[in-house]
Amino acid sequence: MTVAEPTFDLVVAANRLPVERVLDAGGRGTWQRSPGGLVTALESVMTGRNAAWVGWAGVPGPASEPFHQDGLFLRPVSLSSAEIAEYYEGFSNETLWPIYHDVIVPASFHRNWWNTYRTVNHRFAQAIAQVAAPGGTVWVHDYQLQLVPAMLRAIRPDVRIGWFDHIPFPPVELFAQLPWRRALAEGLLGADFLGFQRTADAENFLRVCRQLLGMSTKGDTVTFTPPGDDPARRTVRASAIPISVDYKELTALARTPAVLARAAEIRASLGDPEILLLGVDRLDYTKGIRHRLKAYEELLRDKAVAPPQVTLMQVALPSRERVEAYRLLREEVERTVGRINGEYSVLGSAAIHYLHHFYQRAEMVAMFVAADILLVTPLRDGMNLIAKEYVTCRNDLGGALVLSEFTGAWHELHQAFICNPHDIEGVKQTIMRAITTPEDERRRQMKAMRKSVADHDVQQWAADCLEALASAPQKPHRRTRASEEKRRSVERANKANRTASDNASEWMAQ
Ligand code: F6P
């Protein structure tokens, strides 16, 4: 006799579970927290709710039995080794990821990867259908699961379906390259509400619906007749609700004596530099690490900075190591770090401290508290939660943030020292501005950025997304005016900021 699985009013589905299966020294399987920003963001929202999470456990092979952890019901989805290669490394990270990140590296198109992507998305849809309560809410996440909304609707038309895009959504000209563009867009249109990081991402999606699918859009909605036998017209809403961090948890952690002591220890172990520059990134070509190193190398060459007074600690979190572009990037970054250190380090003090490891949360927070300047210079990034985490951890209003204008975070943290990472002179100048700006001015900037994150933390983000989903395709009533006002004020500030940064670059070029 098969026992029916329990069902839940809220089901989250993401490529990864918040925990992953690892083997301990004795070869026994244990569960360990998964790496990654999505898990960090959602975990705090899900914990304590009567909810289920459907996702992959991070290892090949049959799925483990569902289980409860911290009040959450976790429902693992299996992936074979071939599926990991074709659905995760292949279609998700060698086809979609480059297309969605401005084709910084070329995208690969393979029909067998696409077929596997479809198979795995269908498996996710079935697993969700089993655990979603009648009339329940399902919240699907990210580019790995873009077909799930329509597949799930076909099995369970009774549930409300939301999808959130954690990465950029590309301009129609790039999306159009995908041989499966129609199926991908129609997959998303199975949802009631589609959430994006920036208004520009939502607009890109609506443009895809109009220009590639011939659908009609009005404001932030698209109305269409779904393919198949069902003649009912549907309206889907697509709009921006930027993700954030757990402000309360992080500020509290950053204040603990253990973290403060560790921060002092980190500085001491680096020889107590006057200025500690920090970079913390997944080792991904989108993060602009090579551009950052180039700018730093030139500052060393120009003698604008030098160890032991100034040093850079670059944390490169291991990521997608079996994907060729990531392997090549690692080689290049490590070669560059070696060259820079050979040229510019002095006895007892390195120009760059390079660390290719995962770190526990408390250790990362200690690094943020220790650093004088955080360098966040992606070429393209959906949000960049590291930037928001950094300002959140600076209870002391110390520190400074150098931030690329190609991050989602730029739209909210416009008081940061803004740079265009492609403009190496501009990056150098921005780093020097961050170093030389008077402390009271930096403190004012930090205060404003912290307020912006505190006002829109991850709990607020989740509440806004779920509210938007509940009322879609209508806008949720309560927040409309306030969020519109906020959006307009952010846009005004962005415009002013862009003009200021353009003026500064032009001035430098003179
Ligand atoms: O930002 C997109 C994303 O998929 C996140 O959800 C995740 O934390 C990160 O990239 C790392 O991805 P992966 O699961 O491939 O390690």
Side-chain angles (χ1 to χ4, degrees), residues 33-34 56 87 119 143 152 177 235 259 287 315 357 381 392 396 436 452 464 472:
R33 194 175 192 284
S34 302
W56 171 49
Y87 146 78
T119 304
Y143 62 104
L152 178 61
Q177 290 184 19
T235 298
V259 163
K287 304 290 181 185
V315 177
H357 304 292
D381 207 334
T392 301
D396 59 350
T436 53
S452 156
D464 288 352

Short mmCIF file of all heavy atoms in Angstrom, two decimals, residues 33-34 56 87 119 143 152 177 235 259 287 315 357 381 392 396 436 452 464 472:
data_model
loop_
_atom_site.label_atom_id
_atom_site.label_comp_id
_atom_site.label_asym_id
_atom_site.label_seq_id
_atom_site.Cartn_x
_atom_site.Cartn_y
_atom_site.Cartn_z
N ARG A 33 24.05 22.27 5.12
CA ARG A 33 23.46 23.46 4.47
C ARG A 33 24.04 23.66 3.06
O ARG A 33 25.25 23.59 2.88
CB ARG A 33 23.82 24.65 5.34
CG ARG A 33 23.09 25.88 5.07
CD ARG A 33 23.52 26.89 6.13
NE ARG A 33 22.67 28.03 6.12
CZ ARG A 33 22.73 28.99 5.21
NH1 ARG A 33 23.62 28.92 4.25
NH2 ARG A 33 21.90 30.00 5.25
N SER A 34 23.18 23.93 2.08
CA SER A 34 23.68 24.15 0.71
C SER A 34 24.34 25.51 0.59
O SER A 34 23.94 26.45 1.27
CB SER A 34 22.51 24.16 -0.30
OG SER A 34 21.81 22.97 -0.25
N TRP A 56 16.70 19.57 -5.51
CA TRP A 56 17.73 18.55 -5.70
C TRP A 56 18.68 18.57 -4.50
O TRP A 56 18.99 19.63 -3.96
CB TRP A 56 18.48 18.88 -6.99
CG TRP A 56 19.71 18.10 -7.29
CD1 TRP A 56 19.87 16.74 -7.26
CD2 TRP A 56 20.98 18.64 -7.70
NE1 TRP A 56 21.14 16.40 -7.62
CE2 TRP A 56 21.85 17.55 -7.90
CE3 TRP A 56 21.47 19.92 -7.93
CZ2 TRP A 56 23.17 17.70 -8.32
CZ3 TRP A 56 22.78 20.09 -8.35
CH2 TRP A 56 23.62 18.98 -8.53
N TYR A 87 21.18 18.84 -17.76
CA TYR A 87 20.17 19.82 -17.29
C TYR A 87 20.83 20.94 -16.50
O TYR A 87 20.54 22.12 -16.73
CB TYR A 87 19.11 19.11 -16.43
CG TYR A 87 18.56 19.95 -15.28
CD1 TYR A 87 17.59 20.94 -15.52
CD2 TYR A 87 18.99 19.75 -13.98
CE1 TYR A 87 17.09 21.71 -14.46
CE2 TYR A 87 18.51 20.52 -12.93
CZ TYR A 87 17.56 21.50 -13.18
OH TYR A 87 17.09 22.27 -12.14
N THR A 119 12.75 17.11 -19.33
CA THR A 119 12.46 15.93 -18.50
C THR A 119 12.56 16.29 -17.03
O THR A 119 11.69 15.93 -16.23
CB THR A 119 13.50 14.81 -18.82
OG1 THR A 119 13.44 14.57 -20.21
CG2 THR A 119 13.23 13.54 -18.04
N TYR A 143 16.04 30.28 -13.13
CA TYR A 143 16.14 29.91 -14.53
C TYR A 143 16.23 28.42 -14.78
O TYR A 143 16.00 27.95 -15.89
CB TYR A 143 17.37 30.62 -15.14
CG TYR A 143 18.68 30.20 -14.49
CD1 TYR A 143 19.56 29.33 -15.14
CD2 TYR A 143 19.03 30.63 -13.21
CE1 TYR A 143 20.74 28.93 -14.54
CE2 TYR A 143 20.21 30.23 -12.60
CZ TYR A 143 21.05 29.39 -13.27
OH TYR A 143 22.21 28.97 -12.67
N LEU A 152 3.20 22.44 -14.36
CA LEU A 152 2.44 22.25 -13.12
C LEU A 152 0.98 22.63 -13.33
O LEU A 152 0.07 21.92 -12.88
CB LEU A 152 3.07 23.10 -12.01
CG LEU A 152 2.37 23.06 -10.66
CD1 LEU A 152 2.36 21.65 -10.08
CD2 LEU A 152 3.05 24.02 -9.67
N GLN A 177 18.02 34.33 -29.49
CA GLN A 177 18.98 33.32 -29.98
C GLN A 177 18.59 31.91 -29.57
O GLN A 177 18.99 30.94 -30.20
CB GLN A 177 20.37 33.62 -29.43
CG GLN A 177 21.03 34.85 -30.01
CD GLN A 177 22.45 35.02 -29.48
OE1 GLN A 177 23.06 34.10 -28.98
NE2 GLN A 177 22.97 36.22 -29.61
N THR A 235 -4.33 36.08 -18.02
CA THR A 235 -3.51 37.29 -17.87
C THR A 235 -2.48 37.04 -16.79
O THR A 235 -2.82 36.55 -15.71
CB THR A 235 -4.39 38.50 -17.52
OG1 THR A 235 -5.31 38.71 -18.58
CG2 THR A 235 -3.55 39.76 -17.34
N VAL A 259 32.21 37.51 16.62
CA VAL A 259 32.45 38.03 15.27
C VAL A 259 33.39 39.23 15.33
O VAL A 259 34.32 39.36 14.52
CB VAL A 259 31.12 38.37 14.56
CG1 VAL A 259 31.35 39.28 13.36
CG2 VAL A 259 30.42 37.09 14.12
N LYS A 287 31.26 37.96 -12.45
CA LYS A 287 31.54 38.79 -11.28
C LYS A 287 32.62 39.85 -11.50
O LYS A 287 32.91 40.64 -10.59
CB LYS A 287 31.95 37.91 -10.08
CG LYS A 287 30.92 36.83 -9.72
CD LYS A 287 29.65 37.42 -9.12
CE LYS A 287 28.65 36.33 -8.75
NZ LYS A 287 27.37 36.88 -8.29
N VAL A 315 38.25 36.54 -1.84
CA VAL A 315 37.65 35.23 -1.58
C VAL A 315 36.92 34.80 -2.84
O VAL A 315 36.05 35.53 -3.34
CB VAL A 315 36.66 35.30 -0.39
CG1 VAL A 315 35.99 33.96 -0.18
CG2 VAL A 315 37.38 35.76 0.87
N HIS A 357 37.83 28.90 -1.05
CA HIS A 357 37.17 28.00 -0.10
C HIS A 357 35.74 28.45 0.11
O HIS A 357 35.41 29.60 -0.15
CB HIS A 357 37.78 28.10 1.31
CG HIS A 357 39.23 27.87 1.39
ND1 HIS A 357 39.80 26.66 1.16
CD2 HIS A 357 40.24 28.72 1.69
CE1 HIS A 357 41.11 26.78 1.31
NE2 HIS A 357 41.40 28.01 1.62
N ASP A 381 24.94 41.19 -12.98
CA ASP A 381 24.52 40.41 -11.80
C ASP A 381 23.05 40.73 -11.51
O ASP A 381 22.68 41.91 -11.48
CB ASP A 381 25.38 40.83 -10.59
CG ASP A 381 25.51 39.71 -9.57
OD1 ASP A 381 24.61 38.86 -9.51
OD2 ASP A 381 26.52 39.70 -8.82
N THR A 392 24.79 45.72 5.55
CA THR A 392 24.00 45.28 6.71
C THR A 392 24.91 45.00 7.90
O THR A 392 24.56 45.28 9.05
CB THR A 392 23.19 44.02 6.35
OG1 THR A 392 22.34 44.34 5.26
CG2 THR A 392 22.36 43.53 7.52
N ASP A 396 28.70 49.66 12.62
CA ASP A 396 29.56 50.76 13.07
C ASP A 396 29.60 51.91 12.07
O ASP A 396 30.31 52.90 12.30
CB ASP A 396 30.99 50.22 13.28
CG ASP A 396 31.57 49.61 11.98
OD1 ASP A 396 30.81 49.44 10.99
OD2 ASP A 396 32.78 49.33 11.94
N THR A 436 39.94 57.75 -0.30
CA THR A 436 40.27 59.12 0.14
C THR A 436 39.06 59.94 0.61
O THR A 436 39.26 61.01 1.18
CB THR A 436 40.97 59.89 -1.01
OG1 THR A 436 40.13 59.81 -2.17
CG2 THR A 436 42.33 59.31 -1.34
N SER A 452 18.23 51.67 3.46
CA SER A 452 17.56 51.13 2.28
C SER A 452 17.38 49.60 2.42
O SER A 452 16.32 49.06 2.09
CB SER A 452 18.37 51.52 1.06
OG SER A 452 18.16 50.68 0.01
N ASP A 464 6.05 40.71 -0.03
CA ASP A 464 5.62 41.43 -1.25
C ASP A 464 5.36 40.46 -2.40
O ASP A 464 4.39 40.60 -3.14
CB ASP A 464 6.68 42.45 -1.68
CG ASP A 464 6.74 43.65 -0.75
OD1 ASP A 464 5.87 43.77 0.14
OD2 ASP A 464 7.67 44.47 -0.89
N ALA A 472 -2.54 38.59 -8.14
CA ALA A 472 -2.30 38.62 -9.59
C ALA A 472 -3.54 38.11 -10.34
O ALA A 472 -4.21 37.21 -9.86
CB ALA A 472 -1.09 37.76 -9.94
#
